[in-house]
Amino acid sequence: MIRHGQLIGIGAEAIAEYKRIHADVWPGVLAKISACNIRNYSIFLKEPENLLFAYFEYVGTDFAADMAKMAADLETKRWWTVCQPMQRPLENRAEGEWWAEMEEVFHHD
């Protein structure tokens, strides 16, 4: 299992809508997340900085292939077209990233 932490901004005007849609995520999107070997997925909001922090655990064996499978899913693509206009990617994220991947520096069970 590999833990992932990711960071992205969100427009202040979009916070209420982002919370609303995430209170009722489409079942097909949730099923695809699970099918792509992601577990314990959470998104946290930090205000007033308007940052979203995502945490999830990847339990598969080929992260790139699973993420490609997710990106090819039509329902997930539709979901992203709703969410992405609200998000503000960090300027210093790595090439090809939407959410900036973070380095894990400590963990304790």
Side-chain angles (χ1 to χ4, degrees):
M1 185 269 296
I2 300 170
R3 288 176 291 278
H4 286 261
Q6 299 177 328
L7 194 63
I8 198 165
I10 183 166
E13 73 288 348
I15 291 172
E17 178 65 6
Y18 200 83
K19 287 180 178 182
R20 187 192 70 74
I21 65 172
H22 281 82
D24 191 24
V25 178
W26 304 341
V29 172
L30 297 176
K32 184 55 66 175
I33 289 170
S34 296
C36 291
N37 296 302
I38 292 176
R39 305 292 183 271
N40 296 321
Y41 188 19
S42 299
I43 298 175
F44 299 87
L45 170 64
K46 175 65 172 105
E47 292 182 282
E49 295 84 354
N50 299 338
L51 294 172
L52 296 171
F53 167 71
Y55 170 83
F56 62 89
E57 296 169 354
Y58 178 70
V59 297
T61 58
D62 190 340
F63 185 72
D66 280 332
M67 295 307 96
K69 180 171 46 172
M70 184 177 295
D73 179 65
L74 294 179
E75 184 84 345
T76 300
K77 284 181 181 183
R78 277 190 337 116
W79 177 255
W80 289 347
T81 65
V82 172
C83 295
Q84 286 180 340
M86 296 183 237
Q87 299 168 339
R88 304 290 180 262
L90 302 181
E91 289 182 21
N92 62 349
R93 70 193 186 277
E95 187 173 334
E97 287 183 336
W98 184 254
W99 286 70
E101 191 74 25
M102 300 169 63
E103 176 186 2
E104 180 180 20
V105 296
F106 177 78
H107 174 79
H108 176 73
D109 281 326

